[in-house]
Amino acid sequence: MKKKHPHKKKISFTKKWSAKLHLWFGLSVGIIVFIVSLTGTLYVFKDEIQNSLRKEAMYVKETTASPLSIALLKEKVSLELNEKFPVNAVEISLDKNKSYRFSYYEKNKKGWNYFEEVKINKLVYVDQYTGKLLAIYDEKYNFFNILKYIHWSLLLNSEWGKYVVGIPTVLFIFMLITGIVLWWPKNKKARKGRFWFSWENVKTWKRKNYDLHNVLGFYASFFALLMSITGIYFAYPYVKNTFNLALSGSLEQPKEKEIKSPDSLVAKNPSVYDLTAQETRKLYAHSSSFRIPLNGKNKKGKELKNIPVTIYGEEGRFSERNALVFDKYSGKLLAEKPHQNLNNAEKYANANYDIHTGSYFGLFGKILWFITGLICTSLPVTGFLVWWGKQKKQGKKI
């Protein structure tokens, strides 16, 4: 029979409901939290691993020769690959010893899963001095890209699949908050065993598992909250609008003004892309790389009125981005939007991805995010074992 504890202290209302919510949410979305945490963790060092594997394709031999025309290189890539889709863009490094990267990307919005949605996603490394194709990578089936889309939408259509991940992520945020409430010690005596493991006299795996869930969960929870909030920033417009309002006093970011081409009646200069590249190199000589769209369309498939060039300040980071706009007929510079002129909401929008992946804080941030990701991956497992152990214990009582 169950023993009665007449002097047992009553659990506070807050802790009682925190425990219930923590359990219900954990059992309902634990498997998705496990998958999202694991894929996010494995993705953290994507750049370091991929750059190491692609080192031979990334670099070209030192030479004093000038690069071949971008239009000529684009034509060479198109002829050699013979794809039915056009070349999308080229990314050019400010390091002259690094190769050009031409990309193909086309989406089918009606596809219900990742493999049907992405028609093509290829990356072609080209020696800009000789025109030789150094490597062709089918990014659609790339390990890290698949990890990314499992993390983003469980490989479902990215437009609505993000909510399949987004809703559990919101619940995970509540789990982290309720977990902190449950962890919080009542007094100084109880606090001693909450910050680290006291396993000197502990022999049962159940207690060790409970401590792993409690202690590791506490230390990871603060970083996990940041990772989760930056994650739902991508999925939910109201989260982004809240950040915009808090940072710049407006729900929406300033809309880009459409610039009409002053040279629309002029014959298109065949060297228009080379002129944009030359001017970009001159204005941002100390940046990492820049991207030029080549198919005349933006990411949403709409026709571009001009040539927008995106300049990245540091390799492997997107937080410091500058923008230039060139006339698509003559190649003249029409507008410049440097990073320092952006408002706080725009700067944060550029930085959110880097914060989410830890790259914003350098190598230390990535290591910290990786460790946090491993702990978050373990929490659904250790949490389930805690619950399962209690169920078995209650089943034995008569």
Side-chain angles (χ1 to χ4, degrees):
M1 291 184 69
K2 291 183 180 179
K3 292 182 181 179
K4 292 183 179 180
H5 299 278
H7 302 295
K8 192 174 181 181
K9 292 182 179 179
K10 288 184 179 181
I11 300 172
S12 69
F13 175 84
T14 304
K15 287 213 171 187
K16 180 182 177 181
W17 276 99
S18 291
K20 287 180 182 291
L21 292 173
H22 195 79
L23 175 62
W24 295 339
F25 292 159
L27 292 176
S28 60
V29 300
I31 185 66
I32 295 179
V33 171
F34 175 84
I35 293 169
V36 172
S37 298
L38 179 61
T39 51
T41 303
L42 295 175
Y43 190 82
V44 168
F45 288 105
K46 171 242 180 187
D47 288 340
E48 287 77 5
I49 296 169
Q50 199 157 267
N51 288 348
S52 177
L53 295 173
R54 298 181 179 183
K55 197 171 183 179
E56 289 186 10
M58 286 176 63
Y59 292 91
V60 295
K61 292 180 180 178
E62 287 187 33
T63 179
T64 55
S66 298
L68 298 174
S69 163
I70 293 173
L72 179 64
L73 293 172
K74 175 193 172 186
E75 189 65 25
K76 187 171 179 61
V77 170
S78 298
L79 288 171
E80 196 145 341
L81 269 70
N82 195 28
E83 293 287 351
K84 61 180 180 180
F85 302 105
V87 178
N88 273 78
V90 61
E91 187 165 336
I92 299 172
S93 175
L94 271 293
D95 183 346
K96 293 181 180 180
N97 294 324
K98 283 190 175 181
S99 57
Y100 284 13
R101 291 184 290 175
F102 288 84
S103 59
Y104 286 88
Y105 189 77
E106 196 76 28
K107 285 179 73 174
N108 169 26
K109 293 181 180 180
K110 294 180 180 178
W112 73 271
N113 63 53
Y114 164 75
F115 297 103
E116 287 187 6
E117 183 184 15
V118 178
K119 291 181 179 179
I120 186 173
N121 185 6
K122 287 187 177 181
L123 195 60
V124 185
Y125 288 77
V126 180
D127 186 328
Q128 62 269 34
Y129 303 107
T130 65
K132 181 183 177 183
L133 272 62
L134 302 173
I136 303 165
Y137 294 99
D138 193 341
E139 300 290 74
K140 179 177 177 178
Y141 300 101
N142 175 275
F143 173 72
F144 287 107
N145 254 353
I146 291 174
L147 275 182
K148 178 182 175 180
Y149 279 92
I150 294 174
H151 184 78
W152 171 249
S153 62
L154 296 183
L155 291 181
L156 300 171
N157 180 289
S158 59
E159 289 300 312
W160 52 267
K162 62 186 179 183
Y163 298 113
V164 177
V165 170
I167 293 169
T169 304
V170 172
L171 296 181
F172 182 57
I173 291 172
F174 283 105
M175 288 166 64
L176 291 169
I177 295 168
T178 54
I180 293 170
V181 172
L182 293 171
W183 172 91
W184 205 263
K186 294 178 183 178
N187 49 52
K188 288 183 179 180
K189 188 178 180 182
R191 198 178 301 156
K192 290 181 180 179
R194 298 294 175 93
F195 286 103
W196 199 244
F197 309 107
S198 301
W199 288 348
E200 292 85 1
N201 301 315
V202 176
K203 295 180 180 179
T204 63
W205 70 268
K206 288 182 181 179
R207 177 54 194 268
K208 289 181 179 179
N209 177 74
Y210 178 81
D211 285 350
L212 283 170
H213 188 77
N214 251 13
V215 177
L216 294 182
F218 168 74
Y219 284 114
S221 58
F222 301 100
F223 298 109
L225 276 170
L226 181 58
M227 292 160 71
S228 301
I229 292 168
T230 53
I232 61 173
Y233 177 93
F234 292 116
Y236 297 107
Y238 69 84
V239 176
K240 189 173 185 178
N241 291 344
T242 302
F243 271 79
N244 291 342
L245 186 64
L247 293 170
S248 296
S250 175
L251 286 173
E252 294 185 2
Q253 293 177 20
K255 291 183 179 179
E256 296 293 333
K257 293 181 180 179
E258 192 174 284
I259 306 170
K260 291 184 179 181
S261 169
D263 299 322
S264 59
L265 300 177
V266 178
K268 188 172 183 177
N269 189 327
S271 301
V272 65
Y273 295 123
D274 298 303
L275 291 171
T276 63
Q278 184 181 344
E279 186 68 14
T280 302
R281 283 193 184 97
K282 186 171 73 174
L283 292 172
Y284 292 95
H286 300 291
S287 293
S288 171
S289 63
F290 56 94
R291 183 182 183 276
I292 304 174
L294 300 176
N295 66 342
K297 293 181 180 179
N298 62 16
K299 290 181 180 179
K300 294 181 179 179
K302 292 183 179 180
E303 186 181 351
L304 291 168
K305 302 296 182 183
N306 297 292
I307 302 175
V309 177
T310 306
I311 304 103
Y312 304 102
E314 291 183 46
E315 187 175 357
R317 287 179 61 174
F318 300 95
S319 51
E320 189 179 320
R321 266 182 270 180
N322 303 284
L324 296 172
V325 178
F326 294 90
D327 189 284
K328 68 178 181 179
Y329 299 100
S330 65
K332 289 180 182 177
L333 179 63
L334 300 177
E336 181 179 3
K337 196 172 184 180
H339 172 76
Q340 60 266 27
N341 288 1
L342 301 178
N343 65 36
N344 290 332
E346 290 174 308
K347 286 179 179 177
Y348 181 81
N350 287 346
N352 188 73
Y353 176 84
D354 290 343
I355 296 171
H356 185 64
T357 59
S359 60
Y360 187 83
F361 309 101
L363 181 60
F364 173 76
K366 285 195 169 190
I367 294 170
L368 188 58
W369 258 232
F370 181 81
I371 294 169
T372 302
L374 286 178
I375 295 172
C376 289
T377 304
S378 75
L379 291 177
V381 179
T382 54
F384 177 80
L385 291 174
V386 169
W387 173 78
W388 185 254
K390 287 181 178 179
Q391 294 299 108
K392 289 182 72 176
K393 187 177 181 181
Q394 289 174 5
K396 289 180 180 179
K397 291 180 180 179
I398 301 172

